[in-house]
Amino acid sequence: MVIKKSKRNTILAIIVGVLILGYAAFYFIRPVKDLAYTGYYWLFKWDHFNKGDKMYASKKFIKADKSITIIGIFKLMRPLTLDELTHLDPFLADKIHLDEKKINPNAEPILVYCHKGFSREKMNAQPSTYIGTYLGSSYLSMEGEDANRNKVNFKTIFFKIKPNKNIFLDNEGYLSKYELPPNYIGVDSTLYIFPFDAANTEQDLQRIK
């Protein structure tokens, strides 16, 4: 069957349009871009775990510049509801960074880096790169920077971890309220790490000395 020229041009225009929309979605619609990158890294880059598996420091951390002395930890923070902000508990007022000018009813929970982590020095003292037990994973937001160093929120998978306390730096007063986003408070005690920082096998300690 011969396709008429006008019909062929229509089909070609539709294909080009779909490609343009796909390109625009990937490069300009952040949720689509975040999901695409996460899917790629999940399939081809990150180690996988089952609940209860041991987790070890990754080769990425081991090969990093020695000025990087810890694997960072994140905690989940949520925005206070308008009702909570309107009837603010005095106990909460002392623990949050309150800013009535930045109340956003559409804000969502985000992960925030806290002053905790797994120490390179303590790994050498164990000696082991065992950092803790895998508890699960979640697709969550955190604040980062784009190519122009503008602050943006992006989403990816994070691993939940029960830490190996032998190498864990658990600083009291780990997070000042002024380091929190305005009007946010902690959700729970769950700790999260980047998947790139975790491996499912013991690593060569000689590489991190």
Side-chain angles (χ1 to χ4, degrees):
M1 182 179 68
V2 178
I3 300 176
K4 293 182 179 180
K5 185 176 180 180
S6 59
K7 189 173 183 180
R8 186 167 62 244
N9 289 343
T10 300
I11 293 172
L12 182 60
I14 291 172
I15 292 173
V16 170
V18 169
L19 290 174
I20 291 172
L21 287 174
Y23 177 89
F26 182 78
Y27 283 99
F28 300 106
I29 302 176
R30 177 157 292 279
V32 174
K33 187 174 182 178
D34 290 348
L35 192 59
Y37 275 122
T38 299
Y40 169 76
Y41 287 126
W42 178 264
L43 290 173
F44 301 110
K45 296 293 185 179
W46 296 329
D47 284 356
H48 290 175
F49 302 86
N50 294 313
K51 188 174 182 179
D53 284 353
K54 287 187 174 182
M55 305 177 79
Y56 302 89
S58 68
K59 289 182 180 179
K60 174 180 174 289
F61 174 71
I62 290 171
K63 293 178 179 179
D65 186 280
K66 299 306 180 286
S67 63
I68 301 175
T69 58
I70 66 169
I71 292 175
I73 288 290
F74 298 83
K75 292 194 75 173
L76 188 62
M77 306 289 167
R78 69 168 179 85
L80 292 172
T81 65
L82 290 177
D83 184 63
E84 287 173 322
L85 288 164
T86 303
H87 306 92
L88 192 62
D89 186 317
F91 177 78
L92 290 182
D94 190 48
K95 292 184 175 294
I96 67 169
H97 176 193
L98 182 62
D99 188 342
E100 295 180 356
K101 295 179 180 179
K102 294 186 177 180
I103 293 175
N104 177 6
N106 299 316
E108 61 179 13
I110 64 170
L111 286 170
V112 173
Y113 175 76
C114 54
H115 303 164
K116 298 170 180 267
F118 300 104
S119 163
R120 182 186 293 270
E121 182 180 356
K122 290 189 175 185
M123 287 181 201
N124 282 322
Q126 278 195 131
S128 173
T129 58
Y130 168 57
I131 58 175
T133 304
Y134 178 79
L135 299 178
S137 60
S138 293
Y139 187 61
L140 297 167
S141 293
M142 74 164 291
E143 190 176 82
E145 293 182 343
D146 62 17
N148 298 316
R149 303 188 71 82
N150 298 314
K151 285 188 176 182
V152 294
N153 281 5
F154 68 91
K155 272 192 169 183
T156 190
I157 288 175
F158 290 82
F159 291 158
K160 303 174 188 177
I161 187 170
K162 179 181 179 181
N164 170 12
K165 293 186 177 180
N166 292 331
I167 64 165
F168 191 49
L169 300 176
D170 188 5
N171 300 326
E172 292 297 327
Y174 65 90
L175 195 63
S176 162
K177 70 179 184 180
Y178 296 108
E179 294 174 279
L180 287 171
N183 311 319
Y184 271 72
I185 193 167
V187 171
D188 55 30
S189 60
T190 305
L191 302 177
Y192 298 81
I193 63 171
F194 272 126
F196 273 122
D197 289 327
N200 54 25
T201 55
E202 180 72 89
Q203 305 299 307
D204 182 4
L205 273 167
Q206 295 300 317
R207 299 289 298 278
I208 64 173
K209 288 183 177 179

